[in-house]
Amino acid sequence: MEVLVAFQRVYYPLLCVVGIPANLFTFYMICFRKCGMSDTAIIYLSCLAIMDTFYLVWVILVDLTLTFWLLQPFWNSNPWCSILGVLQYGSLYSSSWIVVVFTIERYLVLRSTAAKQHFSQAQVTKLTCVAIVLLSHVVSVPLGWINIVSPVNITVDGHNVTLPRCRYRDKAYSTYIVWITTFLSGGIPIVSVIIFNYLIGYHLCRASNLFTKEERRVMHGRSTRGMLRRTVLLLGTVSVTFVVLSLPRFVTYCILRTKYNNESFNRNDYTIPINVAGDLANMLQNLNSTTNFLLYCMVSRCFRRELLHVATCRAKARELGSVLTHTTMRVFSVANHKALPSADPVTVVLTHLKLTE
């Protein structure tokens, strides 16, 4: 299994080199370019990009990259052994629950006019994001209690040396904390995203059935079937991607911290299948922090247009596009656009109607 170790030595630094700039660039694009998103979507997605960046710093760069490249990383001493766990899970909680709350908010906005008026306020969204981040870090405080610095005998260049290591504390309360953490960071968010994405798709399907094909063509100037299919496909893609990248770690972490929950277990012994599965699951989970911007932003035609403008050094675009360009991003960027004086949807829809017996 030396191949797996060698691959991780390259994989995690590469993930930092690609992921951190990608998330920061996404933050810039969302906040400072006109990408056709509502104010609330801008706040949620920019906050998600920042928290994903912190996750990459604390987990990928400081923890995993240093583990594979340094003999004695600085966090193998007090108080970093405890602090790092709080920071890591605080950023993980924040990223997961921003996605969950954003998905729930999109569903409520589509379902209720009152909810749309309430959640469309930028101040409410900012307070929601701040509350998610603060609460996530508060809930992560118990994670600082499950590790302890203890001396470990290791072999270095053929010589046995004793070095302090940040190791899992073999106590009953550690198991309880791990179970709660695993469900809060993986199980519940996975189920919630699947359920509410399904409800959004179901709501869109029902809404489209309220009008005939001819009425939809008059209202939108074209058939909405293609847009609806792309929207439902996006929602399915988001759900499947989130589950595929998160579920393996959820399962392997539960196994590692229950069946193999003891100090004598060697997590670095790759002759044990669960260690190999655990590392592969971690690689998938960590990849999720670099792909969120692709799933939630690159589906927008306005985003791609602004990306082209940035790449070609053109001036900032001033127009939002026609009705958010009718792309699948519309589901995630429901905006309170006021109707133009010359555009009356009622008079457009109710024309050339004939009374039939």
Side-chain angles (χ1 to χ4, degrees), residues 7-255:
F7 180 73
Q8 291 182 83
R9 288 170 62 91
V10 177
Y11 175 78
Y12 288 120
L14 183 62
L15 210 60
C16 292
V17 171
V18 174
I20 294 176
N23 285 329
L24 294 178
F25 178 72
T26 301
F27 176 81
Y28 163 75
M29 289 292 295
I30 293 173
C31 293
F32 301 104
R33 307 291 297 194
K34 292 184 179 297
C35 296
M37 302 179 188
S38 66
D39 292 339
T40 56
I42 289 174
I43 296 171
Y44 276 118
L45 294 178
S46 59
C47 186
L48 178 62
I50 293 299
M51 295 317 301
D52 280 343
T53 302
F54 277 115
Y55 179 85
L56 289 172
V57 170
W58 299 129
V59 178
I60 311 301
L61 180 60
V62 175
D63 188 349
L64 295 174
T65 301
L66 295 185
T67 297
F68 285 100
W69 284 94
L70 297 180
L71 176 63
Q72 185 67 9
F74 71 92
W75 43 261
N76 279 317
S77 60
N78 290 314
W80 287 107
C81 179
S82 299
I83 294 176
L84 189 60
V86 176
L87 296 175
Q88 288 177 344
Y89 280 93
S91 58
L92 176 60
Y93 279 146
S94 299
S95 295
S96 299
W97 283 98
I98 286 172
V99 174
V100 173
V101 174
F102 184 38
T103 305
I104 294 174
E105 188 244 17
R106 293 297 90 182
Y107 170 72
L108 294 177
V109 166
L110 288 173
R111 284 282 298 176
S112 171
T113 304
K116 179 178 180 179
Q117 295 175 349
H118 177 72
F119 290 111
S120 295
Q121 301 178 32
Q123 190 65 25
V124 174
T125 306
K126 291 178 182 178
L127 292 176
T128 301
C129 288
V130 170
I132 292 173
V133 174
L134 292 179
L135 186 60
S136 296
H137 284 80
V138 171
V139 174
S140 301
V141 171
L143 273 302
W145 307 337
I146 67 173
N147 294 320
I148 186 174
V149 177
S150 59
V152 177
N153 294 323
I154 60 175
T155 302
V156 180
D157 297 330
H159 301 283
N160 291 329
V161 296
T162 301
L163 294 175
R165 283 288 185 266
C166 184
R167 295 172 60 86
Y168 182 74
R169 192 191 301 265
D170 188 13
K171 299 293 183 180
Y173 67 83
S174 297
T175 302
Y176 300 144
I177 292 175
V178 166
W179 271 108
I180 295 173
T181 300
T182 303
F183 278 95
L184 287 179
S185 63
I188 297 177
I190 288 173
V191 174
S192 300
V193 167
I194 292 176
I195 291 175
F196 282 97
N197 273 289
Y198 168 79
L199 291 176
I200 290 174
Y202 177 74
H203 176 74
L204 291 176
C205 290
R206 288 193 61 188
S208 69
N209 292 330
L210 295 177
F211 304 95
T212 65
K213 185 176 181 179
E214 289 73 18
E215 289 172 334
R216 288 194 299 268
R217 285 179 175 175
V218 173
M219 286 186 294
H220 300 291
R222 60 174 177 166
S223 175
T224 59
R225 289 294 181 182
M227 186 271 286
L228 180 61
R229 285 196 299 268
R230 291 193 298 271
T231 299
V232 175
L233 177 62
L234 170 64
L235 298 177
T237 302
V238 170
S239 300
V240 171
T241 302
F242 188 80
V243 171
V244 168
L245 295 179
S246 302
L247 187 58
R249 184 182 183 276
F250 172 73
V251 174
T252 56
Y253 199 78
C254 288
I255 296 174

